[in-house]
Amino acid sequence: MRLPRIFRTTPFRLTLLFLALFASAASAFLAYIYVATAGETTRRTDREITREMRSLEAAYERAGMVAVNQSLIERAASERPYLYLLMDRSGHKISGSIDETPVDDFNGEPTWTSFTVDDPETGRKHPARGLQQKLGGGEILFVGADTGEDEAYILEIINALWGAGALVVILGLAGGVLVSRNVSRSMASLTEVVEAVRNGDLAARAHVRGTRDEFDELAIGINEMLDRLERSMAGHKHAGDAIAHDLRSPLTRLRARLEAAFIDVEAGKGDATEALAQALTDTDGVLKTFGAVLSIARLQAAGTAPDPILFDPAELAADIAELYEPLCEDKGIEFAAEFTKDLSIRGNREFLAQALANILDNAVKYTPAGGAIMLRVRRRSSGEVEFSVTDTGPGVPDEDRERVVQRFVRLENSRNEPGAGLGLSLVAAVAEAHGGRLELDEGPGKVGDMGPGLRVALVLPRP
């Protein structure tokens, strides 16, 4: 038989655990109260009995046996809450309010005892306590007291405490049910979202109640995760469509050239070597596109840059500058570099080198002859390290700067240039993997037929 779901929830189980701990602590507390109260009551009764015994001993010392006997008769007839028994040397009763002593095997030393007495009105037995000792002339005196009222008072206290404990347990169970119901209601909405996403509904989102508690934090986290997942899935879909679209032409050209080369070779005419060389060039372009896609996927899957090391960014920039300075000279572009020394960053040197090369590739590709490119490495006032490439090319409009870093996005002015639209996407992925960011701003401005240019900055955090 399965219990109702609310009794199987974690909050309700925690409530039961808390109540069990509370009950254990309350039981120990009640036991301590009982022992302490009962002990104090016993000590108070013993003090009163001792005081009464000393009073009768004083009477005996002043006037002897007759005075004690007279005092016992008077006290027993009064409303004093004591029990008296005066016996001779052989233990026979002389006077008192009880007929026989409750002390067994009396050896003459002061002896305490606990016993019961009959209530003449109700017939019930009451607990009592007494002291028996020998007087100076050999007579035996017993003084006791009925402790039934004290025991009843202690019992009332214990019952009240037990009642309070039971009330707390009942209220705790009711609170546990209420808390479990509220938690279950909050978790049910999150479970519904998870179930919807599991069934393929990536648009499902958790309700944020605005209470700023842990459930709101969990809902916000789930929503952010789903937003990222939805963007990722949309990106994969877009990437697949873009790959199919952008690779269809080079693959079609590759097949056509291979087919033409095959026909020409069979016919004994045409330059098969040239066709194969062009086919190899097209193949390299396709492989480069796939390589860039795999690099981006690797970085995004890892979340962080693999194998980070501490190195000088100026040395990396200098190595890249040596590769691109000859390319700029061949195209008639002025190339300059400024490096701040004694900087350090932590990251994957190969990925950062690829990112910087992609930025320079774009700058060289879109800067016309007679233009200029500037490569800089510097530390910002915030402590971050910045790689920046500034060119005098056509630039990127403000409204396209967020879109241009997406995969396979190519602006209209770049359709005639070779490439797959993955250069800045890889740079953005490298920046994110290193905890940095990619910034696109306007270059030096429009001068004549050139400009306004573009400034691309790869900003990395301090190590």
Side-chain angles (χ1 to χ4, degrees):
M1 177 179 176
R2 289 177 62 85
L3 293 173
R5 185 178 182 277
I6 192 172
F7 297 115
R8 292 183 281 113
T9 60
T10 298
F12 189 80
R13 292 177 179 177
L14 291 177
T15 301
L16 291 181
L17 177 61
F18 170 76
L19 289 177
L21 294 176
F22 171 79
S24 301
S27 300
F29 179 66
L30 291 176
Y32 170 77
I33 290 178
Y34 177 78
V35 171
T37 305
E40 179 59 28
T41 302
T42 301
R43 287 190 293 272
R44 186 186 66 184
T45 301
D46 289 352
R47 286 195 299 269
E48 292 176 353
I49 292 173
T50 301
R51 190 163 48 247
E52 189 71 9
M53 178 67 77
R54 297 292 176 264
S55 175
L56 292 173
E57 285 181 336
Y60 180 83
E61 292 175 358
R62 286 194 309 270
M65 183 68 179
V66 177
V68 172
N69 190 26
Q70 183 64 31
S71 180
L72 284 180
I73 293 173
E74 293 175 355
R75 296 186 183 193
S78 67
E79 296 181 356
R80 299 170 69 89
Y82 293 105
L83 304 172
Y84 302 101
L85 178 61
L86 179 61
M87 297 171 286
D88 58 17
R89 296 178 181 178
S90 60
H92 295 98
K93 177 181 179 180
I94 298 176
S95 64
S97 58
I98 59 177
D99 295 331
E100 60 182 11
T101 176
V103 178
D104 298 328
D105 300 329
F106 180 65
N107 58 5
E109 296 294 329
T111 304
W112 288 95
T113 185
S114 296
F115 60 103
T116 59
V117 294
D118 294 328
D119 188 345
E121 296 181 358
T122 63
R124 297 179 180 178
K125 292 185 177 295
H126 288 180
R129 185 166 174 78
L131 172 64
Q132 182 171 299
Q133 68 181 41
K134 185 180 289 187
L135 298 177
E139 295 85 357
I140 300 173
L141 178 62
F142 176 85
V143 178
D146 188 342
T147 60
E149 291 185 359
D150 293 335
E151 292 287 344
Y153 176 69
I154 294 174
L155 185 60
E156 288 180 0
I157 294 177
I158 296 301
N159 289 336
L161 291 175
W162 276 118
L167 180 61
V168 170
V169 170
I170 293 173
L171 293 177
L173 288 174
V177 172
L178 180 62
V179 171
S180 299
R181 182 173 297 172
N182 291 336
V183 172
S184 298
R185 188 180 298 114
S186 300
M187 291 301 298
S189 62
L190 299 178
T191 304
E192 290 174 0
V193 172
V194 173
E195 187 66 25
V197 174
R198 183 187 300 169
N199 293 330
D201 183 12
L202 294 181
R205 293 295 182 270
H207 174 65
V208 179
R209 299 175 299 173
T211 56
R212 298 184 179 180
D213 57 4
E214 61 274 15
F215 291 107
D216 270 5
E217 293 178 359
L218 180 59
I220 292 172
I222 289 177
N223 290 342
E224 291 177 352
M225 178 186 68
L226 291 176
D227 289 339
R228 185 170 182 178
L229 178 61
E230 189 175 22
R231 288 194 302 267
S232 178
M233 295 298 293
H236 285 305
K237 183 178 181 300
H238 175 69
D241 295 342
I243 287 176
H245 179 270
D246 284 11
L247 295 186
R248 180 169 32 184
S249 295
L251 287 175
T252 301
R253 288 195 302 269
L254 176 60
R255 186 185 185 283
R257 285 171 179 157
L258 289 174
E259 185 178 8
F262 179 73
I263 294 174
D264 289 343
V265 169
E266 281 192 336
K269 60 181 181 178
D271 190 351
T273 302
E274 182 180 352
L276 288 174
Q278 185 61 47
L280 287 175
T281 301
D282 293 340
T283 304
D284 290 339
V286 173
L287 292 176
K288 185 177 180 181
T289 299
F290 275 111
V293 171
L294 291 176
S295 296
I296 295 173
R298 176 186 173 191
L299 283 173
Q300 291 179 339
T304 57
D307 304 324
I309 60 172
L310 196 66
F311 63 92
D312 187 349
E315 294 180 0
L316 173 63
D319 293 340
I320 300 298
E322 289 182 4
L323 296 175
Y324 281 88
E325 188 172 5
L327 294 177
C328 292
E329 291 179 359
D330 293 341
K331 194 175 177 180
I333 300 173
E334 181 181 350
F335 181 85
E338 293 180 0
F339 307 140
T340 300
K341 301 295 185 180
D342 300 326
L343 299 180
S344 63
I345 56 174
R346 181 176 294 278
N348 184 289
R349 185 183 175 94
E350 289 73 20
F351 275 120
L352 288 173
Q354 181 62 52
L356 191 56
N358 284 6
I359 297 174
L360 285 169
D361 269 337
N362 282 345
V364 173
K365 184 186 301 182
Y366 297 111
T367 302
I373 295 176
M374 169 65 77
L375 171 63
R376 289 188 178 93
V377 176
R378 67 183 183 94
R379 183 187 298 278
R380 290 188 168 186
S381 58
S382 60
E384 298 171 308
V385 175
E386 174 191 279
F387 295 92
S388 67
V389 175
T390 305
D391 62 55
T392 59
V396 176
D398 291 344
E399 62 272 13
D400 291 329
R401 287 176 186 168
E402 291 186 4
R403 194 170 62 91
V404 78
V405 298
Q406 298 175 7
R407 282 185 288 184
F408 299 104
V409 171
R410 304 186 69 194
L411 302 181
E412 291 300 325
N413 59 2
S414 63
R415 287 295 178 181
N416 296 326
E417 297 291 340
L422 292 171
L424 291 181
S425 299
L426 179 59
V427 177
V430 170
E432 183 178 357
H434 285 81
R437 62 189 181 277
L438 179 64
E439 297 179 353
L440 275 67
D441 299 298
E442 187 174 297
K446 193 168 183 65
V447 179
D449 295 333
M450 293 188 184
L454 182 67
R455 182 179 183 273
V456 182
L458 175 59
V459 185
L460 301 175
R462 65 176 66 187

